[in-house]
Each structure stands twice: as C-alpha cells, then as structure tokens.
Amino acid sequence: RELEKDPILKDQDWTRFLPHFEKVNKSKSKEGSAPTSNGRKKKQKLGKKKKMELAAAKEKNPFPPPQQPRKIDLMLESGEYFLAKKDLEKKKQAERRHKEQTKKKARAVEKERKFMAPDESKPPTGDIIPSGAGSKSKRKHIDEEATAHNRHAKKKRKR
C-alpha cells in the first residue's frame, strides 16, 4: 500500500522489496559447496564434463587396503608372546632406564655448557653491564631509611 502511494515506485517492479526464501526441501547432492551470505554452505552443481574429469582423476581401487596386523601377531613374530610376564617387565624397565640415562646425560651436558668459560681469544660480544646495577643497593638503603623514619614517626604519634 505504501508503494502504491509513492509516484516513482508506482509503475516499477516490487519484487526487490519482497523477502527471498530458500526452498525447504532441496535435493542434497554430493558435489562441491560454497558458503552463502548467511554462513551456510550452498551446494554447487557440476557439469557432465567436470564430473567425468573428476572420476578419471580419482581412479578408485576396488579392493580394500590390506589388513593391519594385530598386536598379538606382532608379538608372535618378535617372539615376545612366549616370554613370561616377568621377562617382559624386565625388558620394559631396561628400556626405560636406558632412556632415562640418555636424557640425564643430555641434561648434564646442557648444565655444563652454562658454566663453561667463554673463549678468551674471541672479543666479548655485547656483555654490557646494566646502568642501574650499582644503584639497586643504594635504592635499598634509601628505602630502609625511609621505613625506619616512618616507624619512628608512628611511635611519636602513639605517645
């Protein structure tokens, strides 16, 4: 009714003002999809040529992949299956100890590197002492004096 009143829009097509609804029961195809303005994916239809190209490129194997061996099968092959539980536990503990020792050695080497003296033949590389290094002790001394002064003032106020 409001559009009929406007002289400019009176003779024009009003479909641009009407809401656009998508069909509820769309056919679901497995082709590619592209996002729409509302964030949902919209299905794109592929032509016959593209479908043929995709099918030729894929070349599916009609046979399933070979079955992976089970844990028990692997144990049978290696001979672990026939060992007693105690023997298996000893073997696992030995492996753990070996790993621990290697890691321990690596940590010790890293720790030693930190304490090694730098080569004296090379010039020092940017070991600059910060400008406020000596002033820290001075600041601490001043702070201690200030707190002592505050304590003295509090005692006077109590009297």
Side-chain angles (χ1 to χ4, degrees), residues 81-150:
Y81 186 77
F82 302 107
L83 295 175
K85 288 185 180 180
K86 290 180 181 178
D87 295 335
L88 285 174
E89 289 176 15
K90 285 181 183 178
K91 186 177 178 183
K92 286 181 183 179
Q93 285 179 354
E95 289 176 7
R96 285 187 203 134
R97 281 191 208 118
H98 179 69
K99 286 181 183 179
E100 286 176 7
Q101 288 174 355
T102 54
K103 285 184 182 180
K104 199 173 189 179
K105 288 177 184 176
R107 281 191 219 119
V109 169
E110 288 294 322
K111 196 172 185 180
E112 287 176 15
R113 272 192 207 152
K114 290 181 183 178
F115 297 111
M116 287 181 66
D119 292 338
E120 293 180 8
S121 61
K122 295 182 181 178
T125 55
D127 291 341
I128 301 169
I129 298 170
S131 61
S135 63
K136 221 177 199 184
S137 62
K138 289 178 186 175
R139 264 189 257 131
K140 187 176 180 183
H141 180 68
I142 293 169
D143 289 343
E144 287 175 359
E145 286 180 0
T147 53
H149 179 70
N150 287 342

Side-chain angles (χ1 to χ4, degrees), residues 10-71:
K10 194 173 192 179
D11 298 326
Q12 292 182 3
D13 186 23
W14 296 347
T15 54
R16 61 186 171 143
F17 298 108
L18 299 175
H20 299 285
F21 297 106
E22 294 183 15
K23 291 183 180 179
V24 176
N25 297 329
K26 282 189 173 182
S27 63
K28 295 181 181 179
S29 59
K30 292 184 179 180
E31 286 86 24
S33 58
T36 58
S37 61
N38 62 0
R40 294 182 182 167
K41 288 191 173 184
K42 185 178 178 182
K43 302 286 181 179
Q44 293 178 345
K45 293 183 179 179
L46 298 176
K48 287 183 181 180
K49 289 181 181 177
K50 285 192 176 184
K51 283 183 183 177
M52 296 293 283
E53 289 173 8
L54 289 173
K58 287 184 181 177
E59 292 187 30
K60 293 183 179 177
N61 187 359
F63 302 107
Q67 187 175 1
Q68 297 295 324
R70 299 176 300 170
K71 189 175 180 180

Side-chain angles (χ1 to χ4, degrees), residues 1-12 14 16-18:
R1 291 180 187 170
E2 292 176 21
L3 294 172
E4 288 177 349
K5 294 176 186 175
D6 192 359
I8 299 169
L9 299 172
K10 194 173 192 179
D11 298 326
Q12 292 182 3
W14 296 347
R16 61 186 171 143
F17 298 108
L18 299 175

